[in-house]
Amino acid sequence: MDSTDLTLIGLLRKNARASVATLARKLGVARGTVTQRMRRLEDAGLIVGYTVRLRPDVEPQTIRAWMGIAVEGNEARAVIASLLGEPGVATLHDTNGRWDLLAELRASDLQELSLVLERIRLIRGISQSETSIHLQTYRAA
């Protein structure tokens, strides 16, 4: 996995419906290159599916959580790529402090959240994690 793959994954996370031509233009590569890379990422199990993302106010019953993630050694790129392919990860942030990464998780119910947590904890290179469920969000006026 190289920087082009990571950029491609990021573009797909923003818009999984983007055409191959649009992705190729944004990456500065041929359409065939995009198709080939997507197929390789799917075959390797890094891309496990495509999904629709809705505005937060459209999904009031959605369970949201923050997960702090500690990464072992130099596994950060592989862990990031795996997390970007996880449908339960809404956003992913590189950070400092106790946690190397901070992921915002979304699930339709506690059972789905449990499955998301299980899949994330199985990712090679993650040494530790801690999850906090959002109870209420306050916004400044």
Side-chain angles (χ1 to χ4, degrees):
M1 172 150 336
D2 61 14
S3 63
T4 302
D5 288 334
L6 290 173
T7 304
L8 173 60
I9 289 169
L11 291 170
L12 289 169
R13 292 277 308 176
K14 289 179 185 171
N15 182 5
R17 295 180 59 197
S19 69
V20 171
T22 299
L23 294 169
R25 187 177 67 256
K26 288 183 178 185
L27 289 169
V29 299
R31 289 182 301 201
T33 301
V34 171
T35 303
Q36 198 174 50
R37 284 177 179 263
M38 287 176 64
R39 185 175 303 121
R40 185 173 39 80
L41 292 168
E42 289 168 356
D43 291 346
L46 295 174
I47 294 178
V48 295
Y50 301 87
T51 186
V52 173
R53 293 178 55 195
L54 302 172
R55 288 189 333 251
D57 61 325
V58 174
E59 328 171 78
Q61 300 305 315
T62 299
I63 294 175
R64 294 186 183 110
W66 288 107
M67 177 183 251
I69 300 166
V71 178
E72 294 176 349
N74 62 355
E75 297 287 330
R77 282 185 177 227
V79 169
I80 289 168
S82 294
L83 289 168
L84 290 174
E86 166 56 50
V89 174
T91 60
L92 184 62
H93 309 274
D94 191 3
T95 186
N96 66 336
R98 180 177 177 193
W99 304 110
D100 299 304
L101 301 169
L102 187 61
E104 182 182 6
L105 309 179
R106 292 197 181 147
S108 59
D109 55 35
L110 289 174
Q111 183 177 6
E112 182 183 342
L113 179 62
S114 178
L115 294 172
V116 170
L117 296 177
E118 183 179 332
R119 288 192 303 264
I120 290 173
R121 289 177 181 142
L122 290 174
I123 294 173
R124 183 175 157 222
I126 292 179
S127 63
Q128 205 174 18
S129 67
E130 180 177 84
T131 305
S132 298
I133 295 174
H134 295 198
L135 299 177
Q136 188 166 347
T137 299
Y138 303 96
R139 299 187 195 278

